[in-house]
Amino acid sequence: MKAKINISELFSDVQASQGYVNVCAPMVRYSKVQFRTLVKNYNVDLTFTPMILADSFCQNANARSNEFSTTESDSPLIVQFASNNVNDFVDASKLVYPYADGVDLNCGCPQRWAMKDGYGCALLYKPEVVYELVKGIKNNLPTNFSISVKLRILDDLKRTVELCQQLEKSGINFLTVHGRTPSQKNSDSIDTNALKTVCESVKIPVIANGGIKTLEDADNLHNITNCRGVMAANGILVNPALFSGAKTTPMSCVKLWMDMKNRHQNKITFQCYHHHLVFMLDKVLTRQQKQVFNHLCTFKSVDEFITTNLMIPSDFNIHYNIDNFVTCDYADEITMKHSSKCRSCGRSICYCICTKYDYDLNNGSFFTSYVQNFDHLDYMDCNIFEETI
């Protein structure tokens, strides 16, 4: 079991030293352990896993294997779950308790499939369910395990404030608030006044999210809202060194990503490796180079392209913090309690839900179709499902 990091103390310590906590968002498909390790080498203080469906995680060994992996140095780490059932949420949290520092409840995903199944933003309109889910964690897991909620602002700011204040009373350690409503798109401006009002209305730390492309954006959002943390999603995909002040992805970051793949190639899929590089190099490569690079399909061809076209000195000496992968030993008494069939549709082993997560089932061709227009996508709020499922 990993030693727990007190998340509340993390906010206090970081605030004293640099003003606010730098946070990498939970992004569908992309917040895997390799990327979490990468960004922590560039001033990220706190990372999240991708959103994981709690019921699938409990029911299906493949979902656990595909959706959660960690290393000895992968901390502080928050595991984000989507759930509308207290038993699933508690059981899934118990499974990851030995390997993480806390769990987060997703109340911010606005996608149709999530809303239809009662996940994400659907929970904003059922606050009594959210409170029960939070209390389930508080009543069943040790106090050294953080519980937080990620949400979007509502059209009625008063209701948003009331919800946040009630969540604070329920005992959560911190909030993440996305500065757009469930109906707004990623191209819409965030409501900084609403974020400021929320920050002023509660005493627990608030992480503000939305529209962060540079360190200057993060500083401005902190100064306007007085938030305790700033979360980046799309911006940190394009530039994993965002919080270090780099304007574009430095070559040291690209080299580090390549070295991490070489060290643990059996732990990373080609899609994950290549897709991240497509993002990282978006502001680096020319249009013609992108047309070639985005269609490469092997590790070897990607590495050869980079070494041929980019100025990466062969004597680059990078020291990074990545330890051995942890073998997760999940409690049988928890997983055995769950049926092998989906509670919603009855299909075997919850295949209907788990296929949404298994990016190995997709050959990655979707990516080249949308890579030139990804500013309209919100990976934290799982809009990518609309393009791929």
Side-chain angles (χ1 to χ4, degrees), residues 114-161:
M115 298 284 282
K116 176 178 177 292
D117 292 339
Y119 299 121
C121 285
L123 292 173
L124 296 177
Y125 307 99
K126 297 181 179 180
E128 69 283 357
V129 176
V130 179
Y131 307 147
E132 289 302 312
L133 291 166
V134 170
K135 290 178 182 177
I137 302 300
K138 298 294 292 185
N139 293 336
N140 288 278
L141 284 141
T143 56
N144 66 347
F145 197 58
S146 171
I147 170 65
S148 57
V149 173
K150 181 267 174 190
L151 51 83
R152 283 186 169 227
I153 58 174
L154 297 166
D155 291 317
D156 184 344
L157 181 56
K158 181 179 178 182
R159 285 184 59 198
T160 306
V161 169

Side-chain angles (χ1 to χ4, degrees), residues 59-77:
Q59 294 166 11
N60 193 330
N62 287 333
R64 292 190 289 277
S65 175
N66 289 337
E67 291 310 306
F68 182 78
S69 59
T70 186
T71 64
E72 295 171 0
S73 60
D74 185 25
S75 188
L77 173 64

Side-chain angles (χ1 to χ4, degrees), residues 83-317:
S83 184
N84 55 18
N85 178 285
V86 66
N87 292 328
D88 290 333
F89 190 37
V90 170
D91 285 350
S93 299
K94 286 180 178 179
L95 289 171
V96 299
Y97 171 78
Y99 313 108
D101 302 293
V103 291
D104 183 79
L105 177 65
N106 185 303
C107 296
C109 180
Q111 290 305 297
R112 290 188 296 272
W113 71 268
M115 298 284 282
K116 176 178 177 292
D117 292 339
Y119 299 121
C121 285
L123 292 173
L124 296 177
Y125 307 99
K126 297 181 179 180
E128 69 283 357
V129 176
V130 179
Y131 307 147
E132 289 302 312
L133 291 166
V134 170
K135 290 178 182 177
I137 302 300
K138 298 294 292 185
N139 293 336
N140 288 278
L141 284 141
T143 56
N144 66 347
F145 197 58
S146 171
I147 170 65
S148 57
V149 173
K150 181 267 174 190
L151 51 83
R152 283 186 169 227
I153 58 174
L154 297 166
D155 291 317
D156 184 344
L157 181 56
K158 181 179 178 182
R159 285 184 59 198
T160 306
V161 169
E162 290 175 350
L163 175 61
C164 293
Q165 290 175 335
Q166 291 170 351
L167 285 170
E168 179 179 30
K169 291 178 182 179
S170 72
I172 64 173
N173 297 87
F174 67 91
L175 274 168
T176 301
V177 183
H178 187 107
R180 301 183 181 94
T181 66
S183 62
Q184 287 182 302
K185 303 300 182 183
N186 198 38
S187 56
D188 296 327
S189 299
I190 64 169
D191 189 338
T192 54
N193 289 328
L195 289 173
K196 184 175 186 293
T197 299
V198 170
C199 291
E200 293 172 344
S201 301
V202 296
K203 295 180 180 179
I204 57 173
V206 175
I207 298 173
N209 171 242
I212 303 301
K213 304 296 184 184
T214 65
L215 180 60
E216 183 179 7
D217 291 338
D219 289 341
N220 289 339
L221 186 58
H222 168 253
N223 292 335
I224 292 171
T225 65
N226 198 31
C227 59
R228 298 279 296 280
V230 175
M231 176 182 284
N234 295 358
I236 206 168
L237 275 180
V238 176
N239 178 13
L242 181 156
F243 283 114
S244 72
K247 299 299 184 183
T248 59
T249 304
M251 290 302 101
S252 63
C253 186
V254 175
K255 180 64 162 58
L256 175 51
W257 185 243
M258 296 172 68
D259 288 349
M260 289 169 58
K261 179 267 297 180
N262 291 337
R263 181 171 174 178
H264 296 287
Q265 187 163 341
N266 65 322
K267 296 290 187 179
I268 188 170
T269 65
F270 172 76
Q271 286 85 356
C272 179
Y273 179 63
H274 182 224
H275 291 178
H276 274 295
L277 284 169
V278 170
F279 279 114
M280 285 189 242
L281 299 176
D282 181 68
K283 306 299 183 183
V284 177
L285 299 179
T286 66
R287 180 183 297 272
Q288 291 75 16
Q289 287 174 325
K290 290 178 191 177
Q291 290 175 349
V292 175
F293 185 78
N294 293 358
H295 288 85
L296 298 177
C297 56
T298 66
F299 285 109
K300 182 179 179 181
S301 63
V302 167
D303 290 350
E304 287 179 348
F305 181 97
I306 290 174
T307 55
T308 301
N309 292 276
L310 299 179
M311 298 297 293
I312 300 181
S314 58
D315 60 348
F316 248 4
N317 186 19

